[in-house]
Amino acid sequence: MDDSLARELADLSALQRIGSLNTEYLPQLSGDLRPAALVAVMDEIVLGARTVLVELGCGSSSVLLARLLQQRGFGHLLAIEHDERTAAFVASQLRREGLGSVARVVHAPLSRHPAALSRHGQWYAPQQVHDEVLAYVERFGLVDLLLADGPGFGDSRYPALPVLRAVLAPGATVLADDVDRPDEQAVLTRWSEEFGLEFRTAPRTSLATATVPA
């Protein structure tokens, strides 16, 4: 079986598994996780008993994660998104479904960032992210799951760990999406070298996972 077919079958299987969370239609947004990757994140939330989640980049998959948290009866999600239209849609959907108590979306435009690697030097607005994450951690505790699925392409996701490492709990899970792309692989290599993380890729997904040392 070739890789593309295996990935398609994995996505179909994943869609069946999350069927109970598809309570109403959600549009497919450009930044959404593949179904197989989304299920891998959900498995980590449930099996790892993760309760304080930060997601960089959001979409319809964020609503499904919020539905899962509400279904479980505990856990919180803070999603940070640079695209105003996407952030507005997800925030509106969370409000409409009564999920505001478990999930929140912050629109943080891209701006120059000292930790960025690319020539554009951009990441989510530094002061805004600092303030939002600090308030979130003060309320719910250290982050035990970080999902890096934005922003954009290239090495633009590198600042996630330099910025957020201090608020990650010992034993927290770090998940990175789109790691089948060379630029993301380069980011994982730097994270591994600089933060002592050992990433492993889930079969037939574009996700890599690592555990923060105790």
Side-chain angles (χ1 to χ4, degrees):
M1 183 184 301
D2 63 44
D3 288 344
S4 61
L5 179 56
R7 286 163 65 93
E8 288 178 10
L9 290 175
D11 282 339
L12 287 173
S13 175
L15 286 170
Q16 290 182 323
R17 290 182 58 191
I18 61 177
S20 64
L21 297 173
N22 285 322
T23 53
E24 63 176 86
Y25 174 78
L26 291 171
Q28 180 72 36
L29 302 178
S30 60
D32 279 337
L33 293 166
R34 285 182 44 227
L38 177 60
V39 162
V41 175
M42 290 179 170
D43 284 351
E44 176 58 32
I45 291 171
V46 174
L47 295 174
R50 305 303 179 185
T51 60
V52 186
L53 287 57
V54 170
E55 179 185 25
L56 304 176
C58 75
S60 292
S61 51
S62 308
V63 179
L64 290 167
L65 291 175
R67 290 175 184 173
L68 174 66
L69 296 177
Q70 185 183 61
Q71 190 179 83
R72 293 170 74 216
F74 59 93
H76 298 87
L77 169 68
L78 174 66
I80 298 171
E81 172 59 46
H82 74 276
D83 182 77
E84 185 174 10
R85 183 181 181 189
T86 298
F89 163 73
V90 175
S92 174
Q93 188 69 21
L94 292 173
R95 287 193 301 269
R96 204 175 64 77
E97 295 190 27
L99 296 171
S101 62
V102 297
R104 182 165 179 266
V105 177
V106 173
H107 172 230
L110 298 182
S111 63
R112 293 195 63 81
H113 198 287
L117 294 175
S118 70
R119 62 185 177 86
H120 300 294
Q122 292 190 324
W123 198 63
Y124 302 107
Q127 190 62 50
Q128 186 177 5
V129 170
H130 173 273
D131 294 346
E132 294 287 351
V133 171
L134 183 62
Y136 181 62
V137 168
E138 287 179 346
R139 183 176 182 187
F140 299 114
L142 292 175
V143 175
D144 58 15
L145 186 146
L146 171 63
L147 172 58
D149 190 28
F153 297 95
D155 56 14
S156 61
R157 298 179 185 182
Y158 170 77
L161 280 183
V163 172
L164 299 175
R165 174 62 183 91
V167 298
L168 295 180
T173 293
V174 177
L175 300 111
D177 193 29
D178 304 314
V179 297
D180 48 351
R181 302 192 300 222
D183 288 326
E184 272 72 17
Q185 291 172 11
V187 169
L188 291 189
T189 298
R190 290 202 58 163
W191 283 351
S192 298
E193 294 171 349
E194 295 172 15
F195 299 97
L197 300 179
E198 296 183 9
F199 284 93
R200 56 198 180 279
T201 303
R204 301 190 177 98
T205 76
S206 54
L207 270 186
T209 307
T211 301
V212 174

